[in-house]
Amino acid sequence: MQLFPCPFCGPRDESEFHYGGHAGNARPDGAGMPAEGWAGYLYLRPNPKGTAREIWVHMNCGEFFVMERDTVSHTVLSVTTLGGEHAA
Amino acid sequence: MTRTYSALSLFKEGLAGQTGWQPAWRSPEPKPSYDAIVIGGGGHGLATAYYLARNHNISRVAVLEKGWIGGGNTGRNTTVVRSNYYYPESVELYGLAHRLYEGLSKDLNYNVMLSQRGMVNVCHSTAEMEVGARTVNAMQINGIDAELFSPDDVRRVAPIYNFSANARFPVFGGVWQGRAGTARHDAVAWGYARAASRLGVDIIQNCEITDFMIEGGRCRGVQTSRGAIRAERIGMAVAGHSSHLAAKAGFRLPINSYALQACVSEPVKPILDTVLSSPANGVYVSQSDKGEIVIGGGLDRIPSYAQRGNLPTLEGVIAGLLEMFPIFGQLKLMRQWAGIVDVVPDSSPIIGESPLPNLFLNCGWGTGGFKAIPAGGTLLAQLLATGKHNDISRPFDLDRFATGRLIDEAAGSGIAH
Ligand SMILES: Cc1cc2nc3c(=O)[nH]c(=O)nc-3n(C[C@H](O)[C@H](O)[C@H](O)COP(=O)(O)OP(=O)(O)OC[C@H]3O[C@@H](n4cnc5c(N)ncnc54)[C@H](O)[C@@H]3O)c2cc1C
Ligand SMILES: [Zn+2]
């Protein structure tokens, strides 16, 4: 069992967390956006091999945060609350 | 020199002291250029090369594999072959694959050990039975064999299942496909490799693609760990590594890579002669010809490129297995492993030209592309040979994500993603 650091609760079992998508995928301004633009936002993913910046939620406390992680070694590099405060 | 496999050649080689066998495929040095390159020596890549040579007479073809052929998901999968899908587009695709599988051992002169032992998806509630009936109706309308099973039918094909009154998920019935079954995964890779090699295809292992040659906005070749290789038509069938190579080609795909695990027990005497899946327990099982119980479940929930798998998922699968088959509590697990699968939002594959002209895609098979290998190969070969879609591959083009014409088999046929 891997431990993930929740910025609010500290280290907890991986099974308490849920993956929410890659970080920085901002919803585009809808006006005049062609279908391809929407497809990019909705479906296209960087899916990197190596360092990834991802949104996760700790389901127990409800905290959403950014986790920087290595997708090959599964090492956690950093976690940041979405409010911008640093922890763990 | 023995070239064709048969009972007679086996007998003759026995008399000749087994001296006439040749390696199943040649391992030549890469040439500087080919008519077509296929990236990835899994089932889909090898089948593509074979059908390029056989169906389209294009045999100046190289399959470039970074490790050994079949070392990716093709050699890691639980080998279930079925076509119990919901939407007509999927029925065409997986139906083609299923029919080709039925003739594959003959076609390749290589025994892929297709065993059509049937598969039952167990339903555990009235609601699941209603969805099961809908699936069976859809399959029958689309001309695919399917039957709605009663609890007694399930008991007939899997008497060792847990039918006790206090089971966590009681049996209400099931969805049966009699033509479903298993095949030998390595044999599919090796059989296609041998048949392709005999038609002139170069199978090149330990050859990793590190970059694309892009000239005038088109893909003109690849950089590899064994030098630059040129071609005007390039096909890519690298499963969980599709996004990684797409980034080098300058585009993104609607794919997330996850680990999918499986495990096998020690070999035991024959006890389960069908494939059985229980979505509620999150587990599916079959028994291999060697006697191992082959156990699979759902995805690890953490995006990953580690071919390893995490313990919580494995524990959940084993817990489900013991709920389904208390008798298996005595089994010893022999091996556990994972493959990196390419998961697409609508759980359907992507077949078509990529945003980089001359580069064609065959990916997004996720947790279920072994059963599709003959079709994936046929369709990518046609794209590479003619530049045009077959009617069967057209709906699976990347453009469906912009047009919104998704083929959502996760909802349609209840795929466990
Ligand atoms: C545990 C598990 C169970 C499964 N069970 C089933 C099942 O029961 N039924 C079913 O139908 N499907 C199943 N699947 C899915 C199935 O295995 C895959 O969809 C299918 O094998 C994909 O075949 P492929 O040829 O596309 O990919 P792969 O077999 O993965 O081949 C891709 C190849 O590309 C190579 N490659 C990657 N990057 C590069 C590079 N840069 N240069 C050169 N080569 C590269 C890899 O080394 C690999 O050999 C399962 C998968 C797993 C992991
Ligand atoms: Zn928390």
Side-chain angles (χ1 to χ4, degrees):
Chain A
M1 184 80 74
Q2 185 176 8
L3 298 179
F4 283 159
C6 168
F8 189 70
C9 311
R12 308 283 297 204
D13 285 352
E14 62 181 275
S15 48
E16 293 179 5
F17 293 81
H18 188 78
Y19 171 63
H22 68 281
N25 188 29
R27 185 185 168 91
D29 178 5
M33 170 65 76
E36 286 72 22
W38 280 114
Y41 164 68
L42 285 170
Y43 299 120
L44 300 184
R45 301 291 174 252
N47 191 23
K49 181 177 185 176
T51 305
R53 289 191 79 238
E54 302 167 330
I55 306 286
W56 285 77
V57 58
H58 184 212
M59 294 179 293
N60 298 39
C61 73
E63 179 83 4
F64 279 81
F65 59 99
V66 175
M67 179 150 66
E68 254 195 320
R69 218 169 47 88
D70 187 305
T71 57
V72 181
S73 69
H74 288 196
T75 310
V76 177
L77 304 170
S78 74
V79 291
T80 317
T81 64
L82 281 181
E85 223 176 285
H86 263 280
Chain B
M1 183 174 91
T2 298
R3 282 180 56 87
T4 305
Y5 296 162
S6 67
L8 183 64
S9 63
L10 197 62
F11 181 71
K12 282 187 177 161
E13 281 298 333
L15 291 180
Q18 317 288 357
T19 49
W21 300 115
Q22 297 295 308
W25 59 87
R26 298 168 296 111
S27 294
E29 284 300 310
K31 300 189 183 85
S33 82
Y34 288 91
D35 290 339
I37 287 173
V38 181
I39 308 173
H44 283 275
L46 293 163
T48 301
Y50 169 68
Y51 292 116
L52 268 172
R54 204 202 64 175
N55 295 352
H56 304 280
N57 248 328
I58 300 175
S59 53
R60 271 182 28 92
V61 174
V63 176
L64 308 179
E65 163 56 48
K66 77 171 170 185
W68 63 95
I69 62 168
N73 295 342
T74 298
R76 295 165 185 270
N77 89 98
T78 46
T79 77
V80 180
V81 174
R82 57 182 173 86
S83 49
N84 48 357
Y85 285 78
Y86 185 75
Y87 289 104
E89 293 89 343
S90 313
V91 169
E92 289 294 318
L93 178 67
Y94 294 101
L96 170 68
H98 209 155
R99 287 193 302 281
L100 288 171
Y101 254 119
E102 289 174 330
L104 197 58
S105 293
K106 266 227 165 71
D107 184 11
L108 299 179
N109 179 232
Y110 202 101
N111 187 0
V112 301
M113 297 167 77
L114 179 69
S115 163
Q116 292 177 289
R117 55 185 71 181
M119 172 169 186
V120 59
N121 282 297
V122 183
C123 300
H124 295 286
S125 65
T126 311
E128 281 189 14
M129 275 305 277
E130 281 168 8
V131 174
R134 175 173 171 269
T135 303
V136 167
N137 287 341
M139 287 170 64
Q140 289 178 347
I141 287 169
N142 285 321
I144 301 278
D145 66 303
E147 209 181 308
L148 193 64
F149 262 16
S150 69
D152 280 345
D153 293 325
V154 179
R155 195 188 290 270
R156 179 167 49 77
V157 300
I160 59 167
Y161 194 86
N162 180 5
F163 291 95
S164 79
N166 54 7
R168 169 75 181 81
F169 297 107
V171 175
F172 277 60
V175 175
W176 172 254
Q177 187 181 25
R179 280 169 66 234
T182 57
R184 169 118 178 91
H185 49 16
D186 292 329
V188 172
W190 298 338
Y192 272 117
R194 171 171 170 272
S197 175
R198 287 176 68 174
L199 293 175
V201 170
D202 286 358
I203 311 271
I204 297 164
Q205 305 185 82
N206 299 311
C207 182
E208 178 170 4
I209 278 60
T210 52
D211 213 343
F212 293 90
M213 288 186 227
I214 303 171
E215 294 165 8
R218 308 186 77 79
C219 190
R220 286 273 150 75
V222 290
Q223 301 289 348
T224 82
S225 53
R226 296 177 67 172
I229 306 176
R230 288 186 165 271
E232 290 299 307
R233 290 283 161 79
I234 296 164
M236 182 165 105
V238 296
H241 278 76
S242 298
S243 308
H244 184 61
L245 280 182
K248 296 182 192 296
F251 58 92
R252 293 188 302 167
L253 289 169
I255 289 180
N256 276 312
S257 294
Y258 289 94
L260 179 67
Q261 303 191 50
C263 53
V264 292
S265 74
E266 60 190 332
V268 291
K269 294 255 168 69
I271 189 158
L272 182 66
D273 64 357
T274 181
V275 182
L276 186 145
S277 165
S278 164
N281 282 294
V283 181
Y284 63 95
V285 200
S286 66
Q287 185 168 22
S288 76
D289 293 334
K290 272 189 287 184
E292 303 143 328
I293 305 296
V294 182
I295 305 151
L299 290 170
D300 282 23
R301 307 298 305 282
I302 299 171
S304 176
Y305 282 87
Q307 289 188 130
R308 192 169 61 218
N310 288 11
L311 193 57
T313 304
L314 182 63
E315 284 176 336
V317 166
I318 299 298
L321 176 78
L322 297 186
E323 176 60 35
M324 293 157 64
F325 299 99
I327 188 176
F328 287 165
Q330 302 168 41
L331 285 177
K332 291 185 179 66
L333 274 193
M334 198 163 64
R335 285 194 305 279
Q336 170 276 347
W337 66 90
I340 301 304
V341 295
D342 36 349
V343 176
V344 177
D346 63 355
S347 304
S348 286
I350 299 165
I351 308 169
E353 194 163 10
S354 80
L356 177 62
N358 292 4
L359 178 64
F360 293 80
L361 303 170
N362 166 341
C363 60
W365 297 100
T367 61
F370 178 70
K371 68 172 82 67
I373 283 171
T378 299
L379 298 169
L380 180 58
Q382 175 162 345
L383 273 160
L384 288 170
T386 67
K388 296 205 179 62
H389 268 295
N390 186 296
D391 283 347
I392 298 179
S393 60
R394 185 71 195 78
F396 295 94
D397 195 275
L398 193 55
D399 67 6
R400 73 177 185 270
F401 295 94
T403 62
R405 290 188 65 86
L406 302 188
I407 304 161
D408 192 353
E409 282 294 343
S413 63
I415 296 171
H417 273 171

